[in-house]
Amino acid sequence: MKIIAQKNNALTTSEFLENSLKRDFIDAMSLNVTYTQDNKIVVYSAPTTGVAITNTINNATLGQLQGYEVTLLSEILKNLSESSVKKDLYLNLAPYNAGILSDDNIQAVTEKTHDYIMELKEVIDLYKNLKIYIHSINRSLAIMLKQLLPSYKIGFAFTGSDFSFADVDYYVLLASIQNDVIIDSLLKNNKDVIIYVYSDYYLSYLYEHYLGEKSTPYLQETFEKLGFMGNYPEIIYRIFRD
């Protein structure tokens, strides 16, 4: 079982990283990433529904975002690289906001998304000593990432509205749509599976499902193959491992 700490609003990015790095039970960290109007790849904090903040970032230059908790991804990777960090790093890549797609703007949106990915590549390629994973809730973006960044592990996050599969390396499933049939199929196809846990209710449910009295040896074996991502990894650890 892999425990992945997801950046939350309770801590600044530097506090989050420091907190995650000093806890041995945390195997990896996950950061939210997007693109500014002046082509800067940044890490940001977002509430549960982060569309408004990503729209703001996409339509502003870095200098115009001084009132927001926004950090250049390059600065974070440089610090992690110089510290010889061994923990994995997941980048949750927000799709570039382009409004409603139409025949008139689809070419421009595709070109902008391509530029977004190539700017990301230019940043992360400088830090080959870090083990970086990249995923998105946007299926098209995940597919483009897989095509343009073949040397990186790319993932697709199911959100409940798009259950179509993509040719990626790993999947992130919301705990609310945890499904044994889907998970079994993905694991049999050598895909990594991460469950994003965002409430105490689902922690309790997942514990009972995989480790409770009515669980089965097969479910317990499946549990060991999964990753669990959440804003409060200490709670995940205490419930599942401690």
Side-chain angles (χ1 to χ4, degrees), residues 11-38:
L11 302 171
T12 66
T13 300
S14 59
E15 289 170 340
F16 165 76
L17 293 171
E18 181 181 358
N19 183 66
S20 299
L21 291 172
K22 68 184 181 183
R23 286 167 168 75
D24 292 339
F25 62 84
I26 294 177
D27 302 297
M29 302 156 292
S30 178
L31 299 170
N32 298 316
V33 173
T34 193
Y35 192 42
T36 67
Q37 190 180 60
D38 54 342

mmCIF file of all heavy atoms in Angstrom, residues 11-38:
data_model
loop_
_atom_site.group_PDB
_atom_site.id
_atom_site.type_symbol
_atom_site.label_atom_id
_atom_site.label_comp_id
_atom_site.label_asym_id
_atom_site.label_seq_id
_atom_site.Cartn_x
_atom_site.Cartn_y
_atom_site.Cartn_z
ATOM 1 N N LEU A 11 -1.968 24.171 4.756
ATOM 2 C CA LEU A 11 -0.531 24.433 4.799
ATOM 3 C C LEU A 11 -0.091 25.155 3.532
ATOM 4 O O LEU A 11 -0.665 24.943 2.457
ATOM 5 C CB LEU A 11 0.255 23.120 4.920
ATOM 6 C CG LEU A 11 -0.037 22.222 6.122
ATOM 7 C CD1 LEU A 11 0.673 20.876 5.945
ATOM 8 C CD2 LEU A 11 0.409 22.890 7.415
ATOM 9 N N THR A 12 0.930 25.969 3.641
ATOM 10 C CA THR A 12 1.550 26.522 2.442
ATOM 11 C C THR A 12 2.291 25.387 1.737
ATOM 12 O O THR A 12 2.507 24.311 2.308
ATOM 13 C CB THR A 12 2.545 27.632 2.779
ATOM 14 O OG1 THR A 12 3.648 27.064 3.505
ATOM 15 C CG2 THR A 12 1.892 28.729 3.608
ATOM 16 N N THR A 13 2.702 25.629 0.507
ATOM 17 C CA THR A 13 3.408 24.582 -0.237
ATOM 18 C C THR A 13 4.686 24.172 0.473
ATOM 19 O O THR A 13 4.990 22.981 0.593
ATOM 20 C CB THR A 13 3.717 25.057 -1.666
ATOM 21 O OG1 THR A 13 2.487 25.370 -2.333
ATOM 22 C CG2 THR A 13 4.449 23.979 -2.449
ATOM 23 N N SER A 14 5.443 25.132 0.969
ATOM 24 C CA SER A 14 6.695 24.798 1.663
ATOM 25 C C SER A 14 6.422 24.029 2.945
ATOM 26 O O SER A 14 7.143 23.068 3.275
ATOM 27 C CB SER A 14 7.498 26.068 1.954
ATOM 28 O OG SER A 14 6.764 26.968 2.763
ATOM 29 N N GLU A 15 5.379 24.419 3.688
ATOM 30 C CA GLU A 15 5.011 23.697 4.908
ATOM 31 C C GLU A 15 4.559 22.277 4.587
ATOM 32 O O GLU A 15 4.920 21.321 5.286
ATOM 33 C CB GLU A 15 3.899 24.441 5.642
ATOM 34 C CG GLU A 15 4.336 25.744 6.286
ATOM 35 C CD GLU A 15 3.163 26.554 6.791
ATOM 36 O OE1 GLU A 15 2.016 26.331 6.339
ATOM 37 O OE2 GLU A 15 3.388 27.448 7.644
ATOM 38 N N PHE A 16 3.784 22.148 3.523
ATOM 39 C CA PHE A 16 3.300 20.835 3.106
ATOM 40 C C PHE A 16 4.457 19.904 2.760
ATOM 41 O O PHE A 16 4.503 18.749 3.196
ATOM 42 C CB PHE A 16 2.365 20.977 1.908
ATOM 43 C CG PHE A 16 2.092 19.697 1.180
ATOM 44 C CD1 PHE A 16 1.229 18.750 1.709
ATOM 45 C CD2 PHE A 16 2.706 19.436 -0.036
ATOM 46 C CE1 PHE A 16 0.977 17.557 1.046
ATOM 47 C CE2 PHE A 16 2.470 18.253 -0.718
ATOM 48 C CZ PHE A 16 1.595 17.313 -0.175
ATOM 49 N N LEU A 17 5.395 20.399 1.975
ATOM 50 C CA LEU A 17 6.532 19.572 1.573
ATOM 51 C C LEU A 17 7.393 19.198 2.776
ATOM 52 O O LEU A 17 7.814 18.046 2.920
ATOM 53 C CB LEU A 17 7.362 20.305 0.516
ATOM 54 C CG LEU A 17 6.668 20.503 -0.838
ATOM 55 C CD1 LEU A 17 7.488 21.421 -1.719
ATOM 56 C CD2 LEU A 17 6.424 19.164 -1.536
ATOM 57 N N GLU A 18 7.660 20.160 3.633
ATOM 58 C CA GLU A 18 8.462 19.889 4.828
ATOM 59 C C GLU A 18 7.777 18.844 5.710
ATOM 60 O O GLU A 18 8.414 17.907 6.197
ATOM 61 C CB GLU A 18 8.670 21.179 5.616
ATOM 62 C CG GLU A 18 9.528 20.991 6.864
ATOM 63 C CD GLU A 18 9.701 22.289 7.641
ATOM 64 O OE1 GLU A 18 9.183 23.339 7.195
ATOM 65 O OE2 GLU A 18 10.351 22.245 8.703
ATOM 66 N N ASN A 19 6.482 18.999 5.875
ATOM 67 C CA ASN A 19 5.709 18.071 6.697
ATOM 68 C C ASN A 19 5.721 16.659 6.097
ATOM 69 O O ASN A 19 5.868 15.660 6.813
ATOM 70 C CB ASN A 19 4.263 18.572 6.804
ATOM 71 C CG ASN A 19 3.411 17.709 7.710
ATOM 72 O OD1 ASN A 19 3.640 17.647 8.911
ATOM 73 N ND2 ASN A 19 2.409 17.052 7.145
ATOM 74 N N SER A 20 5.591 16.572 4.787
ATOM 75 C CA SER A 20 5.552 15.270 4.112
ATOM 76 C C SER A 20 6.908 14.579 4.110
ATOM 77 O O SER A 20 7.001 13.362 4.299
ATOM 78 C CB SER A 20 5.062 15.444 2.665
ATOM 79 O OG SER A 20 3.765 15.982 2.630
ATOM 80 N N LEU A 21 7.958 15.363 3.902
ATOM 81 C CA LEU A 21 9.291 14.770 3.787
ATOM 82 C C LEU A 21 9.803 14.188 5.102
ATOM 83 O O LEU A 21 10.579 13.239 5.108
ATOM 84 C CB LEU A 21 10.275 15.821 3.260
ATOM 85 C CG LEU A 21 10.061 16.235 1.803
ATOM 86 C CD1 LEU A 21 10.959 17.419 1.450
ATOM 87 C CD2 LEU A 21 10.332 15.070 0.868
ATOM 88 N N LYS A 22 9.372 14.735 6.223
ATOM 89 C CA LYS A 22 9.887 14.254 7.505
ATOM 90 C C LYS A 22 9.095 13.083 8.075
ATOM 91 O O LYS A 22 9.459 12.551 9.122
ATOM 92 C CB LYS A 22 9.951 15.392 8.515
ATOM 93 C CG LYS A 22 8.607 15.927 8.969
ATOM 94 C CD LYS A 22 8.814 17.118 9.899
ATOM 95 C CE LYS A 22 7.488 17.680 10.410
ATOM 96 N NZ LYS A 22 7.686 18.874 11.261
ATOM 97 N N ARG A 23 8.032 12.669 7.381
ATOM 98 C CA ARG A 23 7.221 11.541 7.842
ATOM 99 C C ARG A 23 7.497 10.311 6.990
ATOM 100 O O ARG A 23 7.161 10.278 5.804
ATOM 101 C CB ARG A 23 5.732 11.913 7.824
ATOM 102 C CG ARG A 23 5.371 12.853 8.973
ATOM 103 C CD ARG A 23 4.013 13.486 8.807
ATOM 104 N NE ARG A 23 3.578 14.140 10.045
ATOM 105 C CZ ARG A 23 4.038 15.289 10.499
ATOM 106 N NH1 ARG A 23 4.976 15.930 9.814
ATOM 107 N NH2 ARG A 23 3.605 15.807 11.635
ATOM 108 N N ASP A 24 8.092 9.310 7.615
ATOM 109 C CA ASP A 24 8.526 8.118 6.883
ATOM 110 C C ASP A 24 7.373 7.357 6.252
ATOM 111 O O ASP A 24 7.555 6.683 5.232
ATOM 112 C CB ASP A 24 9.304 7.180 7.814
ATOM 113 C CG ASP A 24 10.642 7.760 8.244
ATOM 114 O OD1 ASP A 24 11.141 8.658 7.529
ATOM 115 O OD2 ASP A 24 11.186 7.327 9.277
ATOM 116 N N PHE A 25 6.187 7.429 6.842
ATOM 117 C CA PHE A 25 5.067 6.644 6.312
ATOM 118 C C PHE A 25 4.469 7.250 5.045
ATOM 119 O O PHE A 25 3.667 6.601 4.364
ATOM 120 C CB PHE A 25 3.970 6.470 7.376
ATOM 121 C CG PHE A 25 3.339 7.756 7.835
ATOM 122 C CD1 PHE A 25 2.305 8.332 7.122
ATOM 123 C CD2 PHE A 25 3.783 8.388 8.982
ATOM 124 C CE1 PHE A 25 1.726 9.521 7.549
ATOM 125 C CE2 PHE A 25 3.201 9.565 9.415
ATOM 126 C CZ PHE A 25 2.162 10.133 8.702
ATOM 127 N N ILE A 26 4.829 8.480 4.720
ATOM 128 C CA ILE A 26 4.361 9.103 3.481
ATOM 129 C C ILE A 26 5.319 8.715 2.355
ATOM 130 O O ILE A 26 6.514 8.996 2.412
ATOM 131 C CB ILE A 26 4.272 10.633 3.618
ATOM 132 C CG1 ILE A 26 3.178 11.015 4.624
ATOM 133 C CG2 ILE A 26 3.999 11.282 2.266
ATOM 134 C CD1 ILE A 26 3.065 12.498 4.884
ATOM 135 N N ASP A 27 4.778 8.040 1.352
ATOM 136 C CA ASP A 27 5.605 7.535 0.254
ATOM 137 C C ASP A 27 5.754 8.532 -0.884
ATOM 138 O O ASP A 27 6.716 8.464 -1.653
ATOM 139 C CB ASP A 27 4.989 6.245 -0.313
ATOM 140 C CG ASP A 27 4.831 5.171 0.750
ATOM 141 O OD1 ASP A 27 5.854 4.733 1.301
ATOM 142 O OD2 ASP A 27 3.676 4.780 1.039
ATOM 143 N N ALA A 28 4.796 9.440 -1.011
ATOM 144 C CA ALA A 28 4.809 10.373 -2.142
ATOM 145 C C ALA A 28 3.992 11.604 -1.802
ATOM 146 O O ALA A 28 3.208 11.613 -0.852
ATOM 147 C CB ALA A 28 4.251 9.692 -3.394
ATOM 148 N N MET A 29 4.176 12.637 -2.620
ATOM 149 C CA MET A 29 3.462 13.896 -2.445
ATOM 150 C C MET A 29 2.792 14.275 -3.757
ATOM 151 O O MET A 29 3.322 13.984 -4.834
ATOM 152 C CB MET A 29 4.434 14.993 -2.020
ATOM 153 C CG MET A 29 5.188 14.674 -0.735
ATOM 154 S SD MET A 29 6.766 15.583 -0.598
ATOM 155 C CE MET A 29 7.736 14.839 -1.900
ATOM 156 N N SER A 30 1.632 14.930 -3.660
ATOM 157 C CA SER A 30 0.906 15.338 -4.859
ATOM 158 C C SER A 30 0.624 16.835 -4.810
ATOM 159 O O SER A 30 0.128 17.353 -3.807
ATOM 160 C CB SER A 30 -0.415 14.562 -4.969
ATOM 161 O OG SER A 30 -1.151 14.989 -6.101
ATOM 162 N N LEU A 31 0.948 17.517 -5.902
ATOM 163 C CA LEU A 31 0.770 18.964 -6.001
ATOM 164 C C LEU A 31 -0.136 19.315 -7.174
ATOM 165 O O LEU A 31 -0.129 18.627 -8.203
ATOM 166 C CB LEU A 31 2.128 19.642 -6.210
ATOM 167 C CG LEU A 31 3.186 19.451 -5.113
ATOM 168 C CD1 LEU A 31 4.534 19.977 -5.589
ATOM 169 C CD2 LEU A 31 2.759 20.154 -3.830
ATOM 170 N N ASN A 32 -0.899 20.387 -7.013
ATOM 171 C CA ASN A 32 -1.745 20.890 -8.100
ATOM 172 C C ASN A 32 -0.933 21.834 -8.980
ATOM 173 O O ASN A 32 -0.270 22.747 -8.477
ATOM 174 C CB ASN A 32 -2.949 21.641 -7.525
ATOM 175 C CG ASN A 32 -3.836 20.750 -6.690
ATOM 176 O OD1 ASN A 32 -4.141 19.630 -7.074
ATOM 177 N ND2 ASN A 32 -4.250 21.242 -5.536
ATOM 178 N N VAL A 33 -1.015 21.627 -10.286
ATOM 179 C CA VAL A 33 -0.184 22.388 -11.226
ATOM 180 C C VAL A 33 -1.050 22.982 -12.331
ATOM 181 O O VAL A 33 -1.984 22.343 -12.819
ATOM 182 C CB VAL A 33 0.895 21.476 -11.854
ATOM 183 C CG1 VAL A 33 1.666 22.208 -12.951
ATOM 184 C CG2 VAL A 33 1.852 20.967 -10.783
ATOM 185 N N THR A 34 -0.740 24.220 -12.726
ATOM 186 C CA THR A 34 -1.397 24.829 -13.888
ATOM 187 C C THR A 34 -0.447 25.816 -14.562
ATOM 188 O O THR A 34 0.742 25.878 -14.226
ATOM 189 C CB THR A 34 -2.747 25.480 -13.493
ATOM 190 O OG1 THR A 34 -3.487 25.781 -14.681
ATOM 191 C CG2 THR A 34 -2.556 26.734 -12.664
ATOM 192 N N TYR A 35 -0.988 26.640 -15.467
ATOM 193 C CA TYR A 35 -0.208 27.419 -16.424
ATOM 194 C C TYR A 35 -0.700 28.864 -16.393
ATOM 195 O O TYR A 35 -1.904 29.113 -16.474
ATOM 196 C CB TYR A 35 -0.494 26.787 -17.785
ATOM 197 C CG TYR A 35 0.334 27.161 -18.972
ATOM 198 C CD1 TYR A 35 1.703 27.301 -18.897
ATOM 199 C CD2 TYR A 35 -0.282 27.287 -20.223
ATOM 200 C CE1 TYR A 35 2.447 27.586 -20.031
ATOM 201 C CE2 TYR A 35 0.447 27.557 -21.366
ATOM 202 C CZ TYR A 35 1.819 27.704 -21.262
ATOM 203 O OH TYR A 35 2.558 27.977 -22.381
ATOM 204 N N THR A 36 0.217 29.821 -16.267
ATOM 205 C CA THR A 36 -0.193 31.225 -16.247
ATOM 206 C C THR A 36 -0.282 31.794 -17.664
ATOM 207 O O THR A 36 0.178 31.187 -18.632
ATOM 208 C CB THR A 36 0.800 32.079 -15.450
ATOM 209 O OG1 THR A 36 2.056 32.104 -16.153
ATOM 210 C CG2 THR A 36 0.997 31.537 -14.044
ATOM 211 N N GLN A 37 -0.822 32.984 -17.743
ATOM 212 C CA GLN A 37 -0.956 33.644 -19.047
ATOM 213 C C GLN A 37 0.399 33.901 -19.698
ATOM 214 O O GLN A 37 0.527 33.891 -20.924
ATOM 215 C CB GLN A 37 -1.716 34.959 -18.873
ATOM 216 C CG GLN A 37 -2.134 35.627 -20.171
ATOM 217 C CD GLN A 37 -2.872 36.924 -19.913
ATOM 218 O OE1 GLN A 37 -2.332 37.844 -19.306
ATOM 219 N NE2 GLN A 37 -4.116 37.000 -20.367
ATOM 220 N N ASP A 38 1.430 34.135 -18.861
ATOM 221 C CA ASP A 38 2.764 34.360 -19.405
ATOM 222 C C ASP A 38 3.616 33.082 -19.406
ATOM 223 O O ASP A 38 4.849 33.132 -19.292
ATOM 224 C CB ASP A 38 3.479 35.498 -18.671
ATOM 225 C CG ASP A 38 3.526 35.297 -17.164
ATOM 226 O OD1 ASP A 38 2.728 34.484 -16.640
ATOM 227 O OD2 ASP A 38 4.366 35.929 -16.495
#
